[in-house]
């Protein structure tokens, strides 16, 4: 008879850990964002970064011209007719017309304005709205209300700008794109603030200070060459580092909150002034200044994220 199997001793449940910061729900950045993140701070201005993002987002009209259903139908029909009749002429004609179409069609301003640009804008707005909604769902109720109010203010700015005869269509469109970037930046900053707040709230200042005082007392009371004293010194250094890190994250949180307020107040001011603006450059100056502040916050946030990355220290 085989010996009875021993039941392994039950493990005690792990000690409860303090809640960690809210994980980021934003999707991985595209290639252009990874390139911009790799650039050293200060090498590119905020306007240059926005320009690179806009250029990377530009569609391929050549691809759209080729993938047009009518174009594919005509090309496939010509090749099929050539195969059925065993006559190469339809295939040669179809390929020649296709080459002419791809050479001149993508550069047609009329086709861009009437056919492709509306589709591009509709698809882009749908993607942006979907991505924005996914990020907004990660926020609390109060933050979501602020985002919705800011998005409504952005729509109001666009409507009022359209009523100002000093704004031409192309200039107005380029400036409103910057306003859209600011709305997205507002969402990103709100998510960042939620992460910082969760981290700060997960640590009790009094507990940290009590630990620091306990290890400091042990260092003062013990002989310098005692191993227990050496360990107390190391623990004290770690606790002090945690205190410094928490202070830095709290400072970053205050800066991010201030930038959120600045974006909201600036949008309100722009909505009040845009009807009487004499030039789109007035609007551009205010938006560029806000974008510069957002880029500065993002650069600082990268350093803060590094602090959060080793929060289990």
């Amino acid at each position: 008879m085989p010996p009875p199997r021993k039941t392994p001793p039950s493990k005690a449940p792990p000690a409860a850990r303090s809640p960690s910061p809210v994980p980021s729900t934003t999707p991985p950045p595209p290639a252009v964002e990874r390139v911009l993140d790799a650039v050293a701070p200060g090498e590119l201005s905020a306007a240059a970064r926005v320009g690179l993002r806009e250029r990377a987002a530009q569609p391929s009209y050549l691809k759209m011209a080729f993938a047009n259903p009518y174009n594919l139908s005509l090309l496939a029909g010509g090749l099929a007719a050539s195969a059925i009749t065993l006559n190469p002429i339809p295939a040669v004609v179809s390929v020649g017309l296709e080459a002419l179409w791809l050479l001149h069609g993508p550069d047609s301003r009329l086709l861009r304005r009437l056919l492709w640009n509306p589709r591009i804008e509709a698809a882009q707005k749908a993607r942006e709205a979907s991505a924005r909604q996914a990020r907004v769902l990660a926020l609390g109720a109060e933050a979501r209300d602020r985002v919705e109010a800011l998005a409504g203010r952005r729509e109001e700015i666009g409507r009022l700008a359209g009523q100002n005869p000093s704004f031409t269509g192309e200039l107005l469109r380029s400036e409103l794109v910057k306003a859209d970037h600011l709305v997205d930046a507002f969402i990103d900053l709100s998510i960042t603030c939620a992460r910082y707040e969760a981290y700060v709230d997960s640590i009790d200042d009094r507990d940290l200070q009590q630990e620091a005082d306990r290890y400091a007392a042990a260092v003062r009371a013990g002989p310098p060459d005692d191993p227990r004293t050496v360990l107390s010194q190391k623990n004290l250094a770690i606790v002090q580092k945690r205190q410094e890190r928490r202070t830095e994250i709290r400072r970053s949180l205050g800066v991010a909150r201030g930038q959120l307020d600045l974006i909201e107040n600036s949008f309100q001011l722009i909505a009040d002034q845009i009807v009487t603006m004499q030039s789109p450059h007035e609007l551009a100056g205010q938006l560029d200044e806000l974008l510069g502040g957002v880029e500065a916050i993002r650069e600082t946030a990268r350093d803060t994220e590094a602090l959060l990355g080793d929060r289990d220290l």
Side-chain angles (χ1 to χ4, degrees), residues 129-142:
S130 177
R132 181 179 296 174
Q133 185 63 26
R135 288 181 294 160
V136 169
L137 290 177
L139 300 173
E142 182 180 355

Side-chain angles (χ1 to χ4, degrees), residues 2-291:
R5 298 177 60 183
K6 295 182 179 181
T7 304
S10 59
K11 297 182 179 179
R17 297 180 59 183
S18 57
S20 59
V22 178
S24 176
T25 58
T26 55
V32 64
E33 292 296 337
R34 291 196 294 269
V35 172
L36 290 177
D37 289 343
V39 175
E43 289 188 5
L44 287 177
S45 64
R49 290 176 180 269
V50 172
L52 288 175
R53 291 190 181 99
E54 293 176 357
R55 183 174 299 178
Q58 288 180 355
S60 172
Y61 290 102
L62 177 63
K63 181 179 179 181
M64 296 183 67
F66 177 77
N68 185 284
Y70 299 103
N71 174 65
L72 295 177
S73 299
L74 292 174
L75 178 61
L79 296 177
S82 179
I84 292 173
T85 61
L86 301 179
N87 186 349
I89 294 180
V92 173
V93 173
S94 297
V95 173
L97 292 176
E98 179 69 14
L100 290 174
W101 165 248
L102 295 180
L103 181 62
H104 300 287
D107 296 329
S108 173
R109 294 183 179 180
L110 179 62
L111 289 176
R112 289 187 180 187
R113 186 174 69 253
L114 297 180
L115 182 62
W116 292 324
N117 285 345
R119 294 181 181 178
I120 293 171
E121 292 176 0
Q124 182 177 357
K125 288 182 179 180
R127 289 194 300 269
E128 291 176 352
S130 177
R132 181 179 296 174
Q133 185 63 26
R135 288 181 294 160
V136 169
L137 290 177
L139 300 173
E142 182 180 355
R144 286 199 300 269
D145 291 341
R146 294 181 69 180
V147 170
E148 292 176 1
L150 189 72
R153 190 69 64 192
R154 153 64 183 87
E155 296 299 326
E156 180 184 2
I157 290 174
R159 178 178 56 81
L160 294 176
Q163 299 173 1
N164 190 330
S166 300
F167 288 78
T168 61
E170 193 63 32
L171 288 175
L172 175 60
R173 187 178 299 109
S174 64
E175 301 309 325
L176 293 182
V177 167
K178 296 179 183 178
D180 291 333
H181 288 322
L182 285 169
V183 174
D184 290 333
F186 188 91
I187 298 173
D188 292 338
L189 285 177
S190 299
I191 294 175
T192 299
C193 285
R195 283 171 49 77
Y196 292 173
E197 289 168 355
Y199 174 80
V200 170
D201 293 342
S202 68
I203 299 176
D204 192 325
D205 284 335
R206 291 173 298 180
D207 291 344
L208 273 182
Q209 188 58 48
Q210 287 176 0
E211 289 186 31
D213 294 341
R214 179 164 58 87
Y215 289 126
V219 170
R220 290 192 300 268
D225 55 348
D226 191 322
R228 292 173 296 181
T229 304
V230 174
L231 288 175
S232 296
Q233 289 175 336
K234 293 180 179 180
N235 283 311
L236 177 60
I238 290 176
V239 172
Q240 289 175 340
K241 185 176 180 180
R242 293 181 63 194
Q243 289 177 319
E244 293 173 359
R245 180 183 58 189
R246 191 172 188 275
T247 300
E248 177 63 23
I249 292 176
R250 181 176 289 170
R251 187 195 68 82
S252 298
L253 174 61
V255 173
R257 285 172 173 171
Q259 186 66 37
L260 290 176
D261 294 340
L262 181 60
I263 293 176
E264 286 179 320
N265 293 329
S266 297
F267 267 49
Q268 179 64 59
L269 178 63
I270 291 172
D272 295 339
Q273 295 179 339
I274 198 166
V275 176
T276 58
M277 284 184 179
Q278 300 300 317
S279 170
H281 297 295
E282 299 180 43
L283 175 61
Q286 296 186 47
L287 294 178
D288 287 340
E289 183 177 355
L290 286 174
L291 287 170

